Amino acid sequence: MARKTRQPEAGTGTDTDTSSDGEAGAALGRKDYDRALADLHVELVHLQEWVKATGAKICIVFEGRDGAGKGGTIKALTERVSPRVFRVVALPAPTDREKSQMYMQRYIPHLPAAGEVVIFDRSWYNRAGVERVMGFAADEQVEIFLRAVPLMERAIVGSDILLLKYWLEVTPEEQTRRLKSRIEDGRKTWKLTDMDLKSYSRWFDYSRARDAMFAASDTDYAPWHVVRSDNKRRARLNIISHLLATVPYKRMARKEVTLPARQKAGKYKAPDYPYRYIPEKF
């Protein structure tokens, strides 16, 4: 039975101040953010070592509106851990062959094996969101998915995979600000796609799709965790903190490490070789 969760309201927000990074929400300075994130990174390394030692399997799903901050959150989550343990899955548009498969078939091979944390930057919930709103999936296909997804997620959890699902929510005003910055900031132009532009005008279509998705898939064994992400820095810290509080990891004993003595040069003599050093402009 679906667990009742307070739905995020479209177009509302409680924080009205502007933070130092230009986003709505109570200010959080760069130094305070970096300090808090560094502490969380240390704990993520402990989590990583526990996953490796115990063979734990963790699957994290990130969904949300365009511009909600999924990419930045995933970067903050993974920048200090091993990509061999924390694996990010961001699938491209399906091929013709994949379109002919059972819908979930292309996602199942990416689920974690023992000792892995798999992070889906968008996931099977594409069918309930963008595919539904943009008309890439028929209503019947969406309804079949919504009926099947709780069964699939029960099977995932029943296979000893810890499944965490995060929905990042922004207000219309903040989404507009972020998408405009993708037009104006040369570092972000690659982030703005034709699909983003087409999706932008369909705010309430996405709201209805989100509501139906939550009603079908917000279960006790695989609940949705909603994140207010108008302030990116706070959202990232809150998500990582929640992740660390949810996973029952323990700090693993670590042996003391001492650097060994470096060997002596002996008969080695550096050659007079014309190395091609790059220009030092900085």
Side-chain angles (χ1 to χ4, degrees):
M1 185 177 203
R3 180 176 58 82
K4 290 186 178 180
T5 304
R6 190 171 74 86
Q7 298 286 323
E9 295 297 330
T12 62
T14 57
D15 294 328
T16 56
D17 295 339
T18 301
S19 71
S20 57
D21 54 4
E23 297 159 2
L28 179 64
R30 168 61 69 176
K31 289 184 178 180
D32 290 338
Y33 169 74
D34 287 344
R35 189 180 303 113
L37 186 59
D39 291 340
L40 293 174
H41 281 159
V42 171
E43 289 304 316
L44 284 171
V45 171
H46 287 298
L47 169 63
Q48 170 182 276
E49 298 309 301
W50 175 81
V51 167
K52 289 163 56 179
T54 63
K57 297 177 288 186
I58 301 174
C59 180
I60 307 171
V61 169
F62 281 103
E63 294 287 346
R65 296 183 185 272
D66 293 329
K70 296 179 292 295
T73 298
I74 292 171
K75 181 179 178 181
L77 178 60
T78 59
E79 63 184 346
R80 295 293 182 176
V81 291
S82 171
R84 295 181 181 86
V85 179
F86 282 73
R87 180 161 54 86
V88 179
V89 176
L91 298 183
T95 64
D96 288 340
R97 180 177 183 276
E98 288 171 331
K99 289 178 182 178
S100 71
Q101 295 174 340
M102 181 181 74
Y103 176 71
M104 289 302 306
Q105 194 169 339
R106 70 190 298 243
Y107 294 99
I108 291 173
H110 297 282
L111 292 173
E116 291 183 342
V117 179
V118 171
I119 300 169
F120 281 93
D121 184 356
R122 294 202 179 276
S123 65
W124 45 89
Y125 283 104
N126 276 340
R127 173 131 298 179
V130 64
E131 290 190 13
R132 180 176 203 168
V133 173
M134 302 307 296
F136 299 144
D139 289 342
E140 182 182 5
Q141 291 175 304
V142 175
E143 291 306 315
I144 290 173
F145 169 78
L146 291 177
R147 290 197 300 270
V149 71
L151 301 176
M152 187 205 72
E153 291 181 352
R154 184 180 287 279
I156 290 174
V157 173
S159 298
D160 295 325
I161 295 175
L162 176 57
L163 178 60
L164 292 170
K165 303 186 301 189
Y166 292 103
W167 175 271
L168 278 64
E169 185 70 29
V170 291
T171 58
E173 297 78 14
E174 181 60 19
Q175 185 190 55
T176 298
R177 191 194 70 79
R178 292 181 187 178
L179 293 183
K180 282 184 175 179
S181 75
R182 295 181 182 182
I183 298 173
E184 300 162 358
D185 190 334
R187 300 168 298 175
K188 300 178 181 179
T189 53
W190 63 273
K191 292 184 176 182
L192 189 64
T193 66
D194 291 340
M195 187 60 62
D196 292 333
L197 296 175
K198 292 177 182 177
S199 299
Y200 175 74
S201 63
R202 305 187 182 188
W203 177 272
F204 290 104
D205 286 343
Y206 274 100
S207 294
R208 282 186 282 269
R210 176 205 60 201
D211 296 346
M213 183 187 76
F214 273 34
S217 62
D218 185 27
T219 58
D220 290 334
Y221 52 86
W224 279 103
H225 304 288
V226 181
V227 183
R228 297 182 188 274
S229 63
D230 271 20
N231 186 296
K232 290 181 182 178
R233 293 178 185 171
R234 292 191 180 278
R236 293 167 189 167
L237 297 178
N238 288 332
I239 289 171
I240 298 174
S241 296
H242 181 271
L243 167 65
L244 292 168
T246 303
V247 180
Y249 75 99
K250 296 180 181 179
R251 290 193 172 195
M252 309 304 296
R254 181 172 178 265
K255 66 179 181 180
E256 292 187 11
V257 178
T258 303
L259 290 176
R262 181 169 289 167
Q263 66 180 160
K264 296 181 179 180
K267 295 182 179 180
Y268 173 77
K269 184 179 180 180
D272 185 16
Y273 186 82
Y275 294 108
R276 303 173 192 269
Y277 291 104
I278 66 170
E280 296 181 350
K281 294 184 178 181
F282 302 96

